Amino acid sequence: MSLFITDECINCDVCEPVCPNEAISQGEEIYEINPDLCTECVGHFDKPQCQQVCPISCIPLDPDRQETQEQLMDKYLRITRA
């Protein structure tokens, strides 16, 4: 699965700099995660860094974007080769 940021986001700006894939950016109202770049930190860390630093826990798994560990690793490899 990919991650997403809920509308509970307080725009604290701690998630964006810790994302190794630069998948997080400021949206119109709250931060957003580009699902094409999000690997849940697979290939970089054991746990998603944005979830680790979020003070209000507003970054759950996206039930609409189911991805296996293999798919996330493939995405990581594609991103890092680009």
Side-chain angles (χ1 to χ4, degrees):
M1 294 186 180
S2 183
L3 300 168
F4 77 104
I5 298 174
T6 69
D7 59 5
E8 295 169 333
C9 175
I10 58 171
N11 290 313
C12 66
D13 194 38
V14 297
C15 61
E16 183 182 24
V18 299
C19 179
N21 296 326
E22 299 181 358
I24 301 174
S25 61
Q26 178 64 51
E28 284 187 36
E29 295 184 26
I30 60 173
Y31 278 87
E32 299 175 347
I33 296 177
N34 179 339
D36 295 329
L37 296 176
C38 178
T39 63
E40 297 175 39
C41 290
V42 167
H44 294 283
F45 301 100
D46 291 335
K47 296 181 180 181
Q49 297 301 288
C50 60
Q51 286 182 330
Q52 299 298 304
V53 300
C54 181
I56 59 168
S57 302
C58 69
I59 309 175
L61 291 171
D62 186 345
D64 296 330
R65 300 276 305 193
Q66 304 257 346
E67 294 175 288
T68 66
Q69 288 293 98
E70 286 180 346
Q71 289 171 316
L72 292 169
M73 181 56 82
D74 288 345
K75 190 191 304 185
Y76 161 76
L77 293 172
R78 280 194 314 273
I79 291 168
T80 56
R81 284 187 204 139

